[in-house]
Amino acid sequence: MGEKVDAAGFDPTDRQQYRRKLQQCLAGLARLLAEKRFDRPRNLMGLEIELNLAGPDGLPRMLNAPVLERIASSDFQTELGMFNLEVNIAPHQLDGRVFDRLAEEIGTGIGYADRKARELDASVVMIGILPTLAESDLVLENLSVADRYTLLNDEILQARGEDFTLDIHGVERLLCTSASIVPEAACTSVQLHLQVTPARFPAVWNAAQAVSGVQIALGANAPFVFGREVWRESRPPLFTQATDTRPPELQSQGVRPRTWFGERWVDSVYDLFEENLRYFPALLPICDEEDPLLVLDRGGVPKLHELVLHNGTVYRWNRPVYGWVDGVPHLRVENRVLPAGPTVTDVIANAAFYYGLVRSLADDPRPVWKRMAFEDAEANFDTACRYGIEAELRWPRAGRAGGVATLPAVRLVLDELLPLAAAGLDAWRIEPADRDFYLGVIEQRCLRRVNGASWQADTFHKAREAGLSREAALAATTRRYRTLMEEGEPVHLWPVGID
């Protein structure tokens, strides 16, 4: 969705032509896979972080355009809401001291962006959902100024045919409606990319799906939506409902939402792209002039424009990505599970745990997806979103006895998954200093049962007990969060409270 699009409307012939082009792209992908045309293994990883802008009072600031003008770097881009930015980190080789290098680059980049934001009386906040966002902030007038966002909003709303209902039952209940998709902008995330070969793709994607619930349990950082305390990681239910093209009748019929965990383990990357075409109508039927099959007949490599664009409007939590660099195609698994923040160290610790664990599980001769039902992985994701660090998850029992057990997420991580993550980082040839430091952050989160969501909730309640109103407590929590984020100590070391 990062590309420029024309804001003109679409007619039925556009959709028919786009459907034909999608089928040609899918056939082109099948040929590329059969002819083994993809890039060689290079152990490349990449990272994107979505950010918020807030003022000294902790309230959101609708300033991304002037802030980006001052930043003046292609590494930073707009996101859906005027209070959002996104920073894209260049691909890195997954080895050596890569995590320390990433921490330095991200810290430098966000620090620079923050200094530019402060010129406009704002600052950058890395957080899953800004606690001070109100319903009145998430209206069409605060949609970022870009044709692609306007088109996406119009097409999703037209497909749905009515306002969106946001209804999340948690510690408290959030119930409201929205006439646009702008509430989606509240959800700010970290996206972890891993380039893989076609043969390797199914194992990595399946492994990423299997550990999504664990990632959320450890990294939850979004307990508040519009001033209500709901789930520990409220992004997934909010994102799902804010982009739902299905009116209630289609939901009752079992039509799949566009924000989707999936429903099965896969044997090929082709399975996921084929599902996208089979289940989801086009939202942005914009056709390119390229004939992908003709390009292949002539010995070239197609960019598969329509397939890539359509894939960007199906919001899988682990998304397949087709890329094209210098005439060579490649595949990536894009992990979209984690919220932003709380600190750069926490972000890198989450990434190290993910890359190490996925490597070990993908290499395992008895893969977890052969010993665990897909429904258990999906249920883990939901449970972790609801309860965060206190979640209890389903996981295959160790040894040959088989079966699946339910156990606290922190015990699962400490007893079984952290050693696997360490072994995976060794397989990537990560330096022991990086491995031990960043996995040590994960270990301490588990031992102390603290993550961003638990800190936010505990600090908010302490502020309320001190006599602050709900709005004042949320603002004070946000201001204190921002201060501790800037100081940089990982969240398990943060003192609870607003002082």
Side-chain angles (χ1 to χ4, degrees):
M1 285 304 303
E3 62 187 277
K4 294 182 179 179
V5 297
D6 184 351
F10 305 113
D11 60 35
T13 59
D14 293 324
R15 298 185 184 280
Q16 291 168 347
Q17 181 185 2
Y18 191 78
R19 186 177 290 112
R20 288 193 294 269
K21 286 295 296 287
L22 280 174
Q23 292 297 333
Q24 291 174 1
C25 287
L26 191 63
L29 176 66
R31 280 183 56 178
L32 287 166
L33 291 168
E35 295 170 9
K36 303 186 187 316
R37 300 280 295 277
F38 285 88
D39 197 5
R40 67 192 186 282
R42 292 198 292 166
N43 297 348
L44 286 178
M45 56 83 68
L47 198 149
E48 305 167 54
I49 307 175
E50 295 165 351
L51 307 165
N52 289 277
L53 294 171
D57 54 6
L59 302 181
R61 289 291 186 269
M62 308 300 163
L63 293 171
N64 65 357
V67 169
L68 283 168
E69 185 177 351
R70 281 167 168 76
I71 293 173
S73 168
S74 60
D75 292 341
F76 287 83
Q77 300 175 1
T78 59
E79 260 297 329
L80 188 68
M82 286 183 176
F83 57 92
N84 297 145
L85 303 174
E86 180 177 88
V87 59
N88 297 286
I89 306 303
H92 283 65
Q93 196 84 23
L94 192 51
D95 60 15
R97 299 301 298 269
V98 63
F99 294 119
D100 265 357
R101 293 198 304 273
L102 282 169
E104 182 177 357
E105 286 181 31
I106 294 168
T108 299
I110 291 178
Y112 175 73
D114 186 68
R115 290 194 297 276
K116 294 301 177 182
R118 287 178 187 273
E119 295 174 7
L120 295 168
D121 203 29
S123 61
V124 170
V125 183
M126 277 198 306
I127 196 167
I129 297 176
L130 197 66
T132 50
L133 279 169
E135 289 178 54
S136 58
D137 295 316
L138 294 163
V139 293
L140 191 59
E141 292 77 12
N142 290 333
L143 188 74
S144 287
V145 181
D147 286 349
R148 65 185 182 275
Y149 300 131
T150 301
L151 264 177
L152 189 64
N153 176 76
D154 292 348
E155 292 301 309
I156 289 179
L157 196 59
Q158 181 179 344
R160 183 176 173 84
E162 60 188 73
D163 287 355
F164 300 91
T165 298
L166 308 178
D167 188 1
I168 308 174
H169 295 255
V171 178
E172 299 176 295
R173 183 183 184 186
L174 170 74
L175 178 61
C176 62
T177 60
S178 175
S180 74
I181 66 168
V182 181
E184 176 201 331
C187 308
T188 42
S189 67
V190 170
Q191 291 130 44
L192 303 174
H193 291 253
L194 180 61
Q195 184 175 325
V196 294
T197 62
R200 186 74 166 162
F201 184 96
V204 172
W205 188 86
N206 288 340
Q209 288 284 90
V211 303
S212 293
V214 179
Q215 288 181 276
I216 287 286
L218 295 174
N221 196 27
F224 297 104
V225 182
F226 307 160
R228 292 287 177 266
E229 184 181 355
V230 281
W231 294 10
R232 282 302 183 251
E233 183 54 44
S234 304
R235 289 167 41 256
L238 177 59
F239 199 106
T240 299
Q241 295 177 18
T243 59
D244 201 343
T245 56
R246 309 166 302 161
E249 295 81 5
L250 291 183
Q251 294 179 35
S252 297
Q253 293 173 35
V255 173
R256 296 160 181 84
R258 295 191 84 96
T259 302
W260 197 35
F261 188 81
E263 60 192 19
R264 64 189 177 103
W265 308 118
V266 301
D267 298 314
S268 168
V269 66
Y270 181 91
D271 296 346
L272 299 177
F273 284 107
E274 189 275 333
E275 282 182 349
N276 286 356
L277 272 62
R278 180 154 42 98
Y279 294 146
F280 302 106
L283 287 178
L284 301 175
I286 303 166
C287 290
D288 189 72
E289 295 180 357
E290 177 188 75
D291 182 331
L293 299 179
L294 182 60
V295 170
L296 281 165
D297 289 342
R298 292 174 174 173
V301 174
K303 295 183 179 179
L304 305 183
H305 169 89
E306 292 82 8
L307 192 73
V308 170
L309 180 59
H310 186 58
N311 187 54
T313 65
V314 179
Y315 304 105
R316 296 179 184 271
W317 295 107
N318 284 290
R319 176 187 275 167
V321 177
Y322 172 89
W324 190 95
V325 176
D326 297 330
V328 181
H330 67 264
L331 296 172
R332 302 194 304 273
V333 174
E334 180 189 18
N335 178 260
R336 302 162 50 82
V337 167
L338 289 164
T343 65
V344 172
T345 296
D346 288 301
V347 168
I348 300 302
N350 290 339
F353 179 75
Y354 168 77
Y355 286 118
L357 185 55
V358 163
R359 173 66 186 261
S360 280
L361 294 178
D363 287 349
D364 194 332
R366 296 180 64 236
V368 64
W369 56 94
K370 299 292 186 183
R371 300 182 287 131
M372 173 183 179
F374 191 90
E375 291 75 15
D376 284 335
E378 185 176 17
N380 283 347
F381 184 76
D382 182 82
T383 299
C385 288
R386 290 176 185 271
Y387 302 111
I389 200 82
E390 301 298 332
E392 295 195 351
L393 306 179
R394 302 271 289 165
W395 196 259
R397 291 188 179 92
R400 296 190 172 275
V404 175
T406 300
L407 67 164
V410 293
R411 288 262 52 93
L412 172 63
V413 172
L414 290 169
D415 294 346
E416 184 171 351
L417 301 187
L418 267 177
L420 286 176
L425 293 180
D426 288 342
W428 288 121
R429 298 182 180 176
I430 300 298
E431 287 288 336
D434 264 22
R435 177 199 65 203
D436 295 344
F437 176 76
Y438 291 107
L439 293 187
V441 171
I442 300 296
E443 180 183 39
Q444 287 301 310
R445 263 192 237 156
C446 291
L447 291 172
R448 300 181 187 217
R449 291 180 177 259
V450 172
N451 60 15
S454 68
W455 182 90
Q456 287 187 58
D458 290 347
T459 295
F460 168 77
H461 287 295
K462 277 211 167 186
R464 292 285 281 145
E465 290 165 6
L468 273 63
S469 68
R470 177 181 289 266
E471 291 75 16
L474 289 166
T477 298
T478 303
R479 293 193 299 270
R480 182 61 173 155
Y481 179 104
R482 180 180 56 200
T483 296
L484 293 170
M485 181 200 84
E486 290 167 353
E487 290 176 1
E489 291 285 353
V491 71
H492 67 265
L493 296 176
W494 289 10
V496 171
I498 58 175
D499 294 325

